[in-house]
Amino acid sequence: MGLSINVPGDAIMTTTANDCAALVSRRLWPHSLRIATRERDFRSRFATLQVGDCSIAELNYDSMVEIDAGVIDCVYLVTICLSGAAETRNGMRRAVSVPGSIIVPSPGRPTRYAIAEDSRNITIRIPRQKLETKARELFYYDAAHPIEFDLESSVSGEFGATFAQLVQHICAVAGAAPAALSRRHIAAGYANMMADLLLELHPHNYSGRRLERSLADTPRHLQRATQFIESALHEIESIEQVAAAVGVTERCLQKSFQRYLRLSPAEFVRERRLSRLRELLLAGERRESIMDLMLSVGINQSGRYSGYYQERFGETPSATRRKAQAHDPGASLRPGHLRQGRPRRTF
């Protein structure tokens, strides 16, 4: 993995599960802890570093433990696995981490961990309010639906590599120059950087809205094209249709999308359809079948788009729906209307 993160300062050692749970509960999140092995005495090592309104903690258990964190609702806990292995269950979602894995449970769902003996993990605590305030500025965040990140990532990806290196750098600064993080503006700057990286680079249910914020300085015809796509997403059948609607040639439209958005028009339409479909599935407020929801955003090639969806979000549309229903079983339901006889699209 090539990553070494050490939280500086004196670590606190505990020799009972109750002492360990009490200590970590005060610093990260209240939880219960159970030792899952009986072969030897229990020992844990815990070190923490405050970084503005965030914190970085290093945890090591010498026995296999099972942790019930309940419903984590006011913080996001980002865990980087440095050694060993662990299983995380966040509602109906499950991830098995190995060295290099990054796990980001979402709020509002029961969260449990099973951590193998001699595992070493770094956990970053970021206030939920901090992320939601930033999300309102970046993604037109809707407070009715929490920010839900993909559960699992890796330090080999863009987000994972950047985020882990930032955490490593912060710990190195704190070790070499402790007075630096005691300065409020420096600590706040690092905390904001961690939150910004999580929002900007790690996929979540509002990620598709980043495109809307990147259009302000693009040519007017490109802005009109994206607006047309948003308003007519359910009925667009070809790129020629989009070009005609904004009064430019298809070639001009292709060049503008590639130059300013690094996407072809077809890729942009696909991204918007996938993002809109995920929003509908996560909202859990509509009774229509998944096929009906696909048709409502212009998808009539369900097999192909199911593959795109799984590649983009790491789960099938039906898994997303089950997750939303488990999270909010009492959501209001509205009957939908089946769209029939729509022509086959060219993308």
Side-chain angles (χ1 to χ4, degrees):
M1 181 178 57
L3 178 66
S4 175
I5 302 175
N6 295 285
V7 174
D10 295 330
I12 301 176
M13 310 295 292
T14 60
T15 56
T16 71
N18 287 340
D19 287 347
C20 178
L23 172 65
V24 180
S25 292
R26 288 196 299 270
R27 303 293 182 89
L28 292 180
W29 181 257
H31 66 280
S32 62
L33 183 148
R34 186 181 77 86
I35 302 171
T37 54
R38 298 180 180 179
E39 291 81 8
R40 55 181 177 178
D41 294 335
F42 172 80
R43 290 177 61 85
S44 72
R45 180 181 184 278
F46 179 74
T48 184
L49 172 67
Q50 193 65 33
V51 185
D53 55 359
C54 300
S55 62
I56 301 172
E58 180 180 345
L59 298 99
N60 175 261
Y61 305 98
D62 72 349
S63 302
M64 181 176 179
V65 299
E66 296 176 351
I67 295 171
D68 184 353
V71 176
I72 304 174
D73 59 6
C74 65
V75 297
Y76 285 84
L77 299 178
V78 184
T79 300
I80 305 172
C81 179
L82 298 181
S83 64
E87 177 188 69
T88 302
R89 292 185 179 271
N90 181 226
M92 296 184 67
R93 301 190 300 172
R94 172 181 176 273
V96 175
S97 57
V98 296
S101 296
I102 299 180
I103 305 296
V104 189
S106 295
R109 294 179 174 82
T111 302
R112 295 174 178 268
Y113 303 90
I115 304 175
E117 63 182 49
D118 294 324
S119 293
R120 182 164 164 262
N121 297 283
I122 298 292
T123 298
I124 297 88
R125 185 182 191 274
I126 302 177
R128 176 175 173 177
Q129 183 178 7
K130 183 184 192 73
L131 289 178
E132 292 180 348
T133 298
K134 290 178 174 291
R136 290 187 186 96
E137 301 172 357
L138 297 171
F139 306 111
Y140 303 107
Y141 165 74
D142 176 6
H145 304 292
I147 306 167
E148 180 177 287
F149 293 94
D150 286 4
L151 181 59
E152 187 174 9
S153 183
S154 169
V155 297
S156 62
E158 180 184 19
F159 161 72
T162 308
F163 189 81
Q165 287 172 16
L166 174 61
V167 174
Q168 183 180 39
H169 169 75
I170 294 171
C171 291
V173 169
L181 288 185
S182 67
R183 297 180 181 274
R184 183 178 302 176
H185 66 285
I186 295 177
Y190 280 131
N192 287 333
M193 287 177 67
M194 289 191 291
D196 288 341
L197 285 177
L198 189 61
L199 280 173
E200 292 282 3
L201 296 183
H202 190 41
H204 52 80
N205 53 330
Y206 294 99
S207 292
R209 301 187 183 187
R210 281 179 297 194
L211 292 170
E212 300 171 7
R213 289 294 190 179
S214 66
L215 295 171
D217 298 323
T218 61
R220 182 59 184 162
H221 71 267
L222 181 57
Q223 296 180 41
R224 291 199 306 270
T226 58
Q227 291 166 2
F228 174 77
I229 290 170
E230 291 288 349
S231 64
L233 197 57
H234 63 287
E235 60 187 20
I236 295 173
E237 300 174 12
S238 68
I239 299 304
E240 293 88 344
Q241 180 184 354
V242 179
V246 298
V248 297
T249 65
E250 182 183 354
R251 179 179 176 81
C252 175
L253 196 65
Q254 293 275 6
K255 291 177 64 175
S256 294
F257 268 89
Q258 289 289 357
R259 177 178 178 182
Y260 292 99
L261 299 182
R262 301 292 191 269
L263 295 169
S264 69
E267 289 170 334
F268 181 86
V269 172
R270 184 172 70 193
E271 169 65 23
R272 298 309 300 142
R273 283 177 171 157
L274 291 172
S275 295
R276 189 79 61 82
L277 174 62
R278 186 169 178 82
E279 289 177 10
L280 293 175
L281 291 169
L282 287 172
E285 297 175 351
R286 297 173 63 161
R287 188 184 294 276
E288 295 100 321
S289 68
I290 292 176
M291 177 64 76
D292 293 343
L293 293 180
M294 284 184 168
L295 290 171
S296 75
V297 298
I299 297 171
N300 67 355
Q301 301 174 39
S302 59
R304 178 183 298 180
Y305 265 85
S306 292
Y308 291 150
Y309 188 96
Q310 186 164 9
E311 180 180 351
R312 172 69 175 81
F313 299 111
E315 62 187 16
T316 63
S318 59
T320 302
R321 163 156 279 185
R322 287 195 300 270
K323 179 169 54 181
Q325 290 172 340
H327 173 50
D328 191 13
S332 60
L333 301 175
R334 297 193 298 260
H337 302 283
L338 178 64
R339 298 173 182 266
Q340 297 179 340
R342 302 189 67 83
R344 184 175 180 85
R345 312 217 181 268
T346 58
F347 54 88

